[in-house]
Amino acid sequence: MYFTDRGIEELQHRRGDEEITFDWLAEQLRTFVDVFPEFEIPVERLATWLARLDEDDD
């Protein structure tokens, strides 16, 4: 188990029944990077990865 799994599990446990929009998620990611600018690159990579999930692997 990766250390980040604990945070993901807490997120799922605390907010797993909620429905959110991508607009809401994008705003939370922007706020997070504003507060923690040292995480700009990992957040950008996550957002790009999520955006491209449905692309073919050609």
Side-chain angles (χ1 to χ4, degrees), residues 4-55:
T4 54
D5 288 346
R6 288 186 233 165
I8 293 167
E9 288 174 358
E10 180 179 351
L11 173 63
Q12 187 175 25
H13 175 74
R14 288 178 180 247
R15 298 188 159 234
D17 294 334
E18 294 179 24
E19 291 188 25
I20 63 167
T21 66
F22 280 104
D23 288 335
W24 180 88
L25 177 59
E27 187 59 34
Q28 300 316 305
L29 291 171
R30 285 185 195 99
T31 300
F32 180 83
V33 170
D34 287 346
V35 175
F36 303 102
E38 66 272 19
F39 291 106
E40 178 181 6
I41 292 171
V43 169
E44 189 266 336
R45 287 182 181 166
L46 173 62
T48 301
W49 181 78
L50 289 171
R52 297 176 181 174
L53 279 176
D54 60 351
E55 287 186 357

